[in-house]
Amino acid sequence: QMQLVESGGGLVQAGGSLRLSCAASGRTISSYGMGWFRQAPGKEREFVAAMWSGGITYYADSVKGRFTISRDNAKNTVNLQMNSLKPEDTAVYYCGAVIGSYYYSVAARYNYWGQGTQVTVSS
């Protein structure tokens, strides 16, 4: 199995930045598509960003130009750099891993999940 642990969440003012990290163990992330999702209270888990084979990246329209997903294969870690944060970005952010799927934005397709890290953006 694969285990994922998110870190880097916290409280930040609107316009500020945070860098989330997802540390994987049990499997190497190079074999998986890696995604970031977020979930606010009472809402469904929402796609944020993904990195697929060959380094192809995908972003939700709401975060394009502000968020950047990246991999550090040597550390077996995937990161999410979040800039120009808005209050509506407030959510628990989850890291997911998927193999054998093209549905990068569909949470139900992901095979493994971390426990999440809270991001709170104040106005």
Side-chain angles (χ1 to χ4, degrees):
Q1 283 198 340
M2 189 182 217
Q3 294 81 44
L4 303 172
V5 179
E6 302 95 337
S7 63
L11 175 64
V12 65
Q13 290 183 320
S17 298
L18 283 174
R19 185 176 180 86
L20 306 183
S21 294
C22 173
S25 60
R27 301 287 188 274
T28 59
I29 63 171
S30 62
S31 300
Y32 292 83
M34 303 297 297
W36 286 97
F37 289 72
R38 64 190 182 188
Q39 189 166 22
K43 295 187 177 181
E44 296 295 314
R45 192 165 295 192
E46 174 190 24
F47 170 73
V48 175
M51 178 168 281
W52 232 244
S53 61
I56 304 298
T57 58
Y58 304 92
Y59 296 95
D61 288 342
S62 59
V63 307
K64 283 182 179 177
R66 301 189 297 122
F67 291 10
T68 303
I69 187 171
S70 62
R71 293 176 188 252
D72 187 339
N73 287 333
K75 296 181 173 64
N76 210 31
T77 299
V78 63
N79 302 306
L80 185 69
Q81 179 67 46
M82 305 187 296
N83 299 325
S84 302
L85 283 162
K86 305 174 181 179
E88 50 262 48
D89 295 319
T90 295
V92 177
Y93 282 71
Y94 296 91
C95 174
V98 60
I99 191 166
S101 177
Y102 293 93
Y103 302 102
Y104 58 86
S105 67
V106 181
R109 299 292 188 176
Y110 281 68
N111 303 110
Y112 302 100
W113 294 98
Q115 294 299 306
T117 185
Q118 177 71 48
V119 172
T120 303
V121 184
S122 62
S123 60

